[in-house]
Amino acid sequence: MAVIKPMIRSNICINAHPIGCAKETVNQINYVKSQKAKRGTKTLAEGGKGPKTVLVVGCSTGYGLASRISAAFEYGADTIGVSFEKEATQTKGGTPGWYNNLTFDREAKAAGLKTATFNADAFADETRATIINQIKEWNTKVDLIIYSLASPVRIDPDTKVLYKSVIKPIGQVYSGASLDMMTGKITQASTQPAEGDEIPNTVKVMGGEDWERWIKQLKEAGVLADGCRTIAYSYIGPSLSHAIYRDGTIGEAKKDLEKRAHNIDASLKEIGGAAYVSVNKGLITRSSSVIPIITQYLGVLFKVMKAKGTHEGCIEQMERLFAERLYTGADNSPAKVPVDSENRIRMDDWELAADVQAEIDRIMPTVTEENLEQTVDIAGIRHDFLAINGFDVEGVDYSADVADMSKID
């Protein structure tokens, strides 16, 4: 038995609270249920025509988890999820995603929904074969595939070579303010430019090759429904972060993802389907927290957007993606999706609005350790960072002993 406190260093939290993770996942489910009631969305059982069987590749946290929750609890979809998590034991904690998956499965089953979650390497052909068998076992076909993988490494299924991704600028050193969310300290951080094979290796891990492979193998197995759509997630962000993100190694990977979306789209058109990249809003995540300038930018962004009433977290954004972009036809049926000139869905429209960015440009140069409370939503980004790991979640007694680290109740 032990009291679990967050173990944090330099914007990285290395542990998770099982009860807190479960509670936070339930909070997201309850939000979607409230939106369903507000919008009058019909589930399949209520005569709706939304998604029936949804596959989420990278289902355990962030946008992937939020997408799975939206599909299941607003539309009544059966879902299959895959992610690679560290499993908890009675005495050793698991990753936040492991607890999130346990909670999702528990709540979906209680709601009478089919759910299957696989703790496996989503890059492996063996995992794809397992998923295909599960779809066939359910005697169904998939009509929506969410691709939301974020991984530092990938083993190529053909060559068995291990590739590693890096978050680095290209061509020159990148320097920017680094805000430590927990201490409020601001330092100048520099990141050296990518060297050697770091750019192609990052594209190999975080680009669209694996997404394309997923769709190809699912299609060849005959488990895609007519009209099946697939969506992968990306980020562009403001010009001030382009050197480290959009024009850096991760940006090159995202550009590859967007390019391959066109190939996948052409393939799915043969069965009346489509492929999209959704460009989402910047949020506090396990990876964004360690990129120079990003944490400070997000702190200012949150403050500005909350003042305007347009701030969204993962679950708010994914619920809006489903309800206001994907399933806008009669009885929530799939309808024409609004896209930009590159066939991308722009969920970052509120973040990149001219008035929002103008206010951020005004505030960013003025931020100091002394005026953090006035210029940055430090409480908001700190809460989001902790909540990802199951801490600072309302209704959880963090002074209580946790007798079994593998249980979520």
Side-chain angles (χ1 to χ4, degrees):
M1 295 180 67
V3 173
I4 305 169
K5 302 292 184 185
M7 300 168 64
I8 300 167
R9 185 177 178 184
S10 301
N11 286 352
I12 298 172
C13 185
I14 60 172
N15 67 337
H17 197 290
I19 311 301
C21 287
K23 176 69 172 170
E24 182 66 9
T25 301
V26 169
N27 287 345
Q28 293 187 55
I29 290 170
N30 288 339
Y31 171 79
V32 166
K33 287 178 177 178
S34 71
Q35 286 296 104
K36 175 190 181 307
K38 193 179 295 183
R39 294 182 188 274
T41 308
K42 294 180 182 177
T43 63
L44 298 172
E46 295 164 340
K49 299 175 182 176
K52 297 176 180 63
T53 308
V54 178
L55 168 61
V56 183
V57 183
C59 66
S60 61
T61 59
Y63 285 126
L65 175 64
S67 300
R68 193 179 188 189
I69 289 171
S70 296
F73 291 95
E74 185 156 358
Y75 299 90
D78 297 328
T79 63
I80 298 172
V82 57
S83 63
F84 195 43
E85 304 299 326
K86 176 189 168 190
E87 188 171 341
T89 67
Q90 184 174 341
T91 57
K92 291 188 177 180
T95 51
W98 193 78
Y99 297 121
N100 296 343
N101 286 341
L102 275 183
T103 308
F104 177 89
D105 284 341
R106 180 190 70 188
E107 297 297 316
K109 287 172 184 172
L113 302 171
K114 282 186 183 176
T115 178
T117 304
F118 295 90
N119 189 19
D121 178 7
F123 294 127
D125 285 344
E126 294 80 4
T127 300
R128 280 182 271 272
T130 300
I131 299 294
I132 287 165
N133 287 338
Q134 180 65 68
I135 297 167
K136 290 179 176 178
E137 191 178 302
W138 280 2
N139 193 29
T140 187
K141 293 189 176 184
V142 175
D143 53 8
L144 178 65
I145 300 150
I146 299 294
Y147 188 85
S148 184
L149 278 187
S151 172
V153 297
R154 173 181 175 231
I155 297 175
D156 185 293
D158 293 324
T159 65
K160 307 305 179 187
V161 173
L162 175 74
Y163 292 92
K164 295 181 179 181
S165 65
V166 297
I167 302 173
K168 289 187 175 183
I170 295 173
Q172 59 187 11
V173 175
Y174 179 80
S175 296
S178 178
L179 169 62
D180 187 312
M181 286 177 285
M182 302 313 293
T183 66
K185 294 293 182 185
I186 299 175
T187 57
Q188 284 297 309
S190 294
T191 304
Q192 295 299 312
E195 298 177 341
D197 293 331
E198 288 182 326
I199 299 170
N201 287 359
T202 300
V203 172
K204 192 81 174 174
V205 178
M206 296 292 291
E209 182 177 279
D210 183 68
W211 181 29
E212 200 167 2
R213 195 177 183 100
W214 265 100
I215 303 305
K216 180 175 185 290
Q217 292 184 16
L218 292 166
K219 187 182 177 192
E220 288 173 350
V223 295
L224 299 185
D226 288 344
C228 177
R229 299 192 288 190
T230 184
I231 302 170
Y233 297 137
S234 187
Y235 182 64
I236 291 176
S239 56
L240 68 87
S241 70
H242 282 186
I244 189 69
Y245 197 92
R246 189 66 184 180
D247 296 334
T249 53
I250 293 294
E252 287 300 301
K254 293 300 187 183
K255 290 168 190 172
D256 180 77
L257 185 83
E258 292 166 18
K259 182 176 72 175
R260 289 176 185 266
H262 295 288
N263 302 339
I264 299 168
D265 188 66
S267 172
L268 289 179
K269 273 189 167 48
E270 297 170 8
I271 57 171
Y276 303 97
V277 167
S278 177
V279 182
N280 299 335
K281 168 181 175 287
L283 293 171
I284 293 292
T285 65
R286 291 163 76 88
S287 55
S288 69
S289 301
V290 297
I291 305 174
I293 209 66
I294 295 294
T295 305
Q296 183 171 312
Y297 164 75
L298 291 175
V300 177
L301 174 72
F302 285 17
K303 195 169 191 71
V304 171
M305 292 189 75
K306 284 178 180 180
K308 292 180 179 292
T310 57
H311 174 72
E312 294 174 310
C314 277
I315 194 64
E316 292 87 0
Q317 202 166 164
M318 292 302 95
E319 193 277 334
R320 182 164 69 98
L321 170 67
F322 276 65
E324 299 183 12
R325 298 292 192 275
L326 301 178
Y327 298 100
T328 57
D331 295 327
N332 328 120
S333 60
K336 183 176 175 61
V337 179
V339 293
D340 67 9
S341 60
E342 299 296 319
N343 205 44
R344 299 176 300 202
I345 303 170
R346 300 306 295 265
M347 298 306 294
D348 62 345
D349 49 352
W350 295 352
E351 173 184 356
L352 296 184
D355 60 333
V356 170
Q357 288 300 314
E359 185 69 359
I360 292 168
D361 289 344
R362 182 187 70 78
I363 296 171
M364 279 291 285
T366 72
V367 176
T368 65
E369 292 179 4
E370 290 70 33
N371 68 10
L372 270 184
E373 297 289 341
Q374 291 75 46
T375 57
V376 173
D377 180 20
I378 190 69
I381 60 174
R382 189 177 287 155
H383 165 77
D384 286 4
F385 172 70
L386 290 168
I388 291 169
N389 299 279
F391 298 103
D392 199 36
V393 179
E394 190 175 347
V396 177
D397 181 3
Y398 291 102
S399 66
D401 282 327
V402 177
D404 188 340
M405 292 293 290
S406 67
K407 293 186 176 179
I408 52 174
D409 49 22

